[in-house]
Amino acid sequence: MTKPTIAILMSTYNGEDYLAQQIDSIRKQSYKNWRLIIRDDGSSDDTVKIVEKYQSEDHRIEFLNQGAIRNVGVVRSFFELLRESEADFYMFSDQDDYWLPNKVELALQEMIKLDNSQPNCVYTNLQIVDKDLNGKKLLLKRNWQSFTNVLFTNNVYGCTMMINNSLKRMVNFKKIDYQRIYMHDWWLALIAAEFGNLRFIDKATILYRQHGSNQVGATDKSFSALLQRLFNHERDKKAMKRSVNFAIEFLKEYGNNKNLIDENYINRYGKLDKESSFFNNLRLVLKLPPKSIYRLKEIFYSFILVIYYRDYLIK
């Protein structure tokens, strides 16, 4: 029986410091039937040379845009990788982490338990480490797989994901609004949660390196940071704006789908670009409050949604 093919999609940008170590960790995977497809997003350091070196050493490594390098941003870069790749399943790789040897195998074992005709996404926990890979703390203490929870707080990190072709086929690559879709992993997680399966494995499969140039790092949960958020709403205003933007795009793309589970949330939040007002949003949060695993957060998110209602209207 032929083993499933895994396309590992990596977007690079000035990653010379850690890239070789990351590629080495992928080459050491216990599951061997993979291809690493790399797209460079306009590096000015030695990243391209490193990619070319590994490409020459391992036939499983492909340099997608060799000789045609241009900067499009991390979200578009990953979506281009996904659009141009063909495999049974797909994974996403950052350039500066380190994959534990059973990462691919563990995700695949969970994925093949699911109905492959549905859009499926499997994701795992992460082990937070410093630039020298020291550290044992797990990033995700709680997890959730419902569409409404993921809409307001995404806990699915792309560097831990595996998705199937049914999920890929639901992505309309020609109509993605990169001004509203904040990250590729969030969009894919929402599709899986609404129309298929979003499954969490509570085991760390990567060493998630934290350093100054991370694209997206671990959230600061210290008391001082939480106190600052209480009196300075800018961060939470931006977070709620991103959630509403995802709802707006989800309604545009899937609003007519007969299989919608969370139709009320999608319809009401997806129309805030036109209908947002103090009283509209007050009625909204009383009937369909922003979701969180913490009640106090739901109250705070509701406050943000009502008080800053102008933020969601199209200017």
Side-chain angles (χ1 to χ4, degrees), residues 74-86:
V74 63
V75 184
R76 187 187 295 264
S77 187
F78 272 116
F79 274 123
E80 286 192 8
L81 280 161
L82 182 59
R83 183 189 65 205
E84 298 299 324
S85 304
E86 291 295 336

Side-chain angles (χ1 to χ4, degrees), residues 222-258:
S222 66
F223 177 77
S224 60
L226 294 175
L227 190 63
Q228 184 179 5
R229 288 176 65 179
L230 184 62
F231 293 100
N232 185 343
H233 301 155
E234 287 306 312
R235 173 179 167 181
D236 292 287
K237 283 170 62 180
K238 290 178 181 178
M240 183 56 66
K241 181 67 177 294
R242 289 196 292 264
S243 294
V244 171
N245 282 341
F246 271 100
I248 291 168
E249 291 307 303
F250 211 88
L251 178 62
K252 287 180 183 177
E253 188 62 33
Y254 306 110
N256 293 325
N257 193 300
K258 296 179 181 179

Side-chain angles (χ1 to χ4, degrees), residues 15 19 30 131 142 154 165 167 170 178 194 197 203 223-224 244 265 284 291 305-308:
L19 179 58
S30 58
K131 62 184 181 64
R142 296 172 181 261
N154 180 40
N165 271 305
L167 179 46
M170 291 201 69
Y178 293 100
E194 184 64 16
N197 298 284
K203 294 181 181 178
F223 177 77
S224 60
V244 171
Y265 267 89
L284 176 60
K291 291 292 184 177
L305 195 67
V306 172
I307 297 301
Y308 300 105

Side-chain angles (χ1 to χ4, degrees), residues 53-277:
K53 171 183 176 293
Y54 277 97
Q55 182 186 35
S56 68
E57 294 176 356
D58 195 325
H59 71 277
R60 297 173 296 178
I61 298 175
E62 175 186 343
F63 194 167
L64 181 66
N65 63 330
Q66 187 176 20
I69 294 172
R70 65 190 181 99
N71 180 269
V72 298
V74 63
V75 184
R76 187 187 295 264
S77 187
F78 272 116
F79 274 123
E80 286 192 8
L81 280 161
L82 182 59
R83 183 189 65 205
E84 298 299 324
S85 304
E86 291 295 336
D88 294 314
F89 302 104
Y90 306 86
M91 303 181 79
F92 302 91
S93 171
D94 291 339
Q95 64 187 4
D96 51 2
D97 298 322
Y98 189 91
W99 285 20
L100 298 178
N102 67 338
K103 183 181 191 301
V104 176
E105 185 176 9
L106 190 65
L108 182 59
Q109 287 174 350
E110 186 65 27
M111 178 64 80
I112 60 178
K113 297 176 184 177
L114 304 174
D115 180 354
N116 198 40
S117 67
Q118 297 181 333
N120 298 324
C121 173
V122 172
Y123 69 107
T124 75
N125 215 322
L126 315 87
Q127 183 175 327
I128 303 174
V129 296
D130 61 19
K131 62 184 181 64
D132 299 314
L133 301 181
N134 298 312
K136 297 182 178 181
K137 184 179 179 181
L138 295 183
L139 178 59
L140 300 177
K141 302 300 183 184
R142 296 172 181 261
N143 70 89
W144 45 92
Q145 286 82 51
S146 70
F147 175 90
T148 49
N149 279 94
V150 174
L151 177 62
F152 295 102
T153 308
N154 180 40
N155 69 326
V156 183
Y157 284 70
C159 53
T160 75
M161 293 172 68
M162 176 181 283
I163 70 169
N164 65 350
N165 271 305
S166 295
L167 179 46
K168 177 185 174 180
R169 285 192 291 268
M170 291 201 69
V171 179
N172 191 336
F173 293 101
K174 293 181 179 180
K175 291 188 176 181
I176 294 174
D177 185 339
Y178 293 100
Q179 298 301 312
R180 291 188 184 274
I181 294 180
Y182 173 65
M183 285 300 287
H184 63 287
D185 49 15
W186 199 345
W187 187 244
L188 294 169
L190 285 170
I191 297 171
E194 184 64 16
F195 298 112
N197 298 284
L198 184 60
R199 292 288 180 86
F200 176 63
I201 302 173
D202 196 8
K203 294 181 181 178
T205 59
I206 75 167
L207 304 182
Y208 187 56
R209 190 183 253 121
Q210 297 295 286
H211 56 88
S213 58
N214 278 47
Q215 179 68 24
V216 178
T219 304
D220 184 358
K221 297 182 175 66
S222 66
F223 177 77
S224 60
L226 294 175
L227 190 63
Q228 184 179 5
R229 288 176 65 179
L230 184 62
F231 293 100
N232 185 343
H233 301 155
E234 287 306 312
R235 173 179 167 181
D236 292 287
K237 283 170 62 180
K238 290 178 181 178
M240 183 56 66
K241 181 67 177 294
R242 289 196 292 264
S243 294
V244 171
N245 282 341
F246 271 100
I248 291 168
E249 291 307 303
F250 211 88
L251 178 62
K252 287 180 183 177
E253 188 62 33
Y254 306 110
N256 293 325
N257 193 300
K258 296 179 181 179
N259 296 319
L260 283 179
I261 300 171
D262 300 283
E263 185 174 3
N264 287 338
Y265 267 89
I266 293 166
N267 275 322
R268 293 294 302 278
Y269 282 88
K271 294 177 181 177
L272 285 180
D273 56 335
K274 302 178 183 66
E275 299 180 356
S276 184
S277 70

